[in-house]
Amino acid sequence: MKDIIMKAEILIEALPYIRNFYGKTFVIKYGGAAQVKDELKETFAKDIVMLNFIGIKTTIVHGGGPKISAVMEKMGKKPKFIQGQRVTDEETMDIVEMVLGGLVNKEIVSLINSHGGKAVGLSGKDGGLIKAKKKLIKKPAETGVDEIIDIGLVGEVTHIDPHIITNLEKDGFIPVISPVGVGPKGETLNINADYVAASIASALKAEKLILLTDVPGIMDKKDKIISTLTKKQIKKSIEDGTITGGMLPKVQACIKAIEGGVRKTHIIDGRVPHCLLLEIFTKEGIGTEIQA
Ligand code: ADP
Ligand code: MG
């Protein structure tokens, strides 16, 4: 009997959060380690379905870098990166679109649906969701004038039309979005999923943007997790080399989202089962919160 009452107490602890978040929109970037292990895929899908049944509207944006590289290698193409961005020629773009929009997207959709959710897969092309332009990468040169490097069909978001998402949400569907955008000439562009998630969260004026990754959060120089970080502290941490590599687009995405009207942004450990529930329904939360 005692055990069962304990269970009720645990459930009721979530009440203030459920009351607060009912009817609100969360944008979740799914990627990193949580996208690899079967057990974690299952717990992720269950968490999403649970959030939806208690009245939280979720939109998922996914990555899929490791899978793209694996398929490229099978096809005899060597993946190449410059400043953490995939060099994307036309053939690579075809592979990116096939792998993200086909394999990865549909796997997430089926997982969610197998637990009773109503997920719908989209790419940035559907309903004119993501307009983009080619991203130019700058490299400091000896002349003092930055050199521009062409990394191919890599894009940055110029405009989000969230209609397709809001319409799907109205009917209880869960949009699952692959980060592919359309350029001014109709060309297909490959975009970092962290940035796409931030732009969509801003367009939806989301309550939360949550980025799942393969580390406990943002770590300091002593490898200790930092629980909150402000814009000013981030600038310093980038300058002193604490934040590098794949964490750069994440912190930039969080700042952009906050400036775009998103209330809270979190970077959390996708390797922890039920990390979403832990972040959303406990006082402590997990991972790092980025603040204005
Ligand atoms: P994802 O697939 O989740 O986008 P990324 O590899 O792109 O994963 O980004 C996460 C990586 O960022 C971590 O695995 C880590 O190697 C790197 N990183 C760089 N600086 C930090 C930091 N200060 N704290 C945590 N991770 C960091
Ligand atoms: Mg990344």
Side-chain angles (χ1 to χ4, degrees):
M1 192 63 188
K2 230 179 167 181
D3 283 359
I4 219 163
I5 293 171
M6 272 268 287
K7 270 191 192 160
E9 276 167 9
I10 290 170
L11 284 170
I12 210 72
E13 264 178 41
L15 176 61
Y17 301 99
I18 296 175
R19 201 166 49 206
N20 197 13
F21 296 141
Y22 183 84
K24 302 267 166 71
T25 297
F26 289 8
V27 175
I28 296 154
K29 147 77 193 305
Y30 179 52
Q35 221 172 318
V36 182
K37 280 199 187 148
D38 283 340
E39 184 211 341
L40 292 172
K41 288 181 188 172
E42 290 287 335
T43 55
F44 172 81
K46 281 185 191 167
D47 287 6
I48 293 290
V49 174
M50 169 133 171
L51 292 177
N52 277 271
F53 277 111
I54 61 180
I56 294 171
K57 299 177 200 156
T58 53
T59 289
I60 296 158
V61 178
H62 63 84
K67 191 94 199 173
I68 295 168
S69 295
V71 174
M72 282 179 75
E73 269 160 24
K74 255 190 216 163
M75 293 180 157
K77 264 184 97 75
K78 209 173 150 35
K80 218 173 107 190
F81 293 88
I82 293 178
Q83 291 183 24
Q85 314 246 13
R86 185 183 303 278
V87 178
T88 310
D89 59 15
E90 262 174 52
E91 215 173 66
T92 304
M93 190 61 237
D94 284 348
I95 299 172
V96 168
E97 199 171 17
M98 283 192 278
V99 173
L100 288 184
L103 274 178
V104 179
N105 187 283
K106 295 313 171 213
E107 184 186 26
I108 301 168
V109 167
S110 333
L111 267 168
I112 294 173
N113 293 352
S114 75
H115 291 289
K118 293 199 293 177
V120 174
L122 300 171
S123 93
K125 289 184 173 177
D126 294 290
L129 176 60
I130 306 172
K131 294 271 187 319
K133 66 173 185 200
K134 202 170 141 111
K135 186 168 183 169
L136 297 169
I137 300 263
K138 285 186 194 148
K139 191 176 120 192
E142 276 169 23
T143 56
V145 182
D146 287 351
E147 196 185 318
I148 305 258
I149 313 170
D150 188 353
I151 49 169
L153 297 165
V154 174
E156 57 185 310
V157 177
T158 52
H159 181 74
I160 299 283
D161 179 350
H163 268 96
I164 181 114
I165 299 178
T166 48
N167 271 314
L168 287 170
E169 276 180 343
K170 243 183 267 160
D171 287 328
F173 290 105
I174 303 167
V176 178
I177 298 158
S178 59
V180 166
V182 184
K185 293 182 212 118
E187 69 274 37
T188 307
L189 296 167
N190 171 22
I191 316 173
N192 178 294
D194 299 322
Y195 291 132
V196 169
S199 304
I200 289 178
S202 302
L204 293 171
K205 294 279 173 278
E207 174 74 19
K208 274 183 196 283
L209 167 68
I210 305 176
L211 307 175
L212 265 62
T213 186
D214 63 349
V215 281
I218 299 178
M219 315 302 282
D220 65 16
K221 286 256 191 241
K222 291 185 192 127
D223 230 16
K224 256 190 70 199
I225 180 166
I226 308 169
S227 60
T228 55
L229 210 54
T230 61
K231 201 171 139 181
K232 227 164 134 190
Q233 290 168 324
I234 287 172
K235 200 164 167 263
K236 221 178 114 237
S237 306
I238 293 175
E239 280 165 6
D240 72 12
T242 308
I243 297 176
T244 58
M247 199 45 77
L248 286 169
K250 287 187 207 306
V251 293
Q252 279 151 3
C254 289
I255 292 172
K256 214 175 135 204
I258 292 166
E259 289 174 351
V262 176
R263 258 178 54 82
K264 280 182 177 274
T265 66
H266 307 268
I267 296 170
I268 68 169
D269 194 345
R271 299 168 305 178
V272 176
H274 300 296
C275 56
L276 281 175
L277 299 187
L278 292 172
E279 169 48 46
I280 298 165
F281 298 117
T282 64
K283 193 163 80 233
E284 305 80 19
I286 57 167
T288 302
E289 181 180 344
I290 311 283
Q291 298 172 339

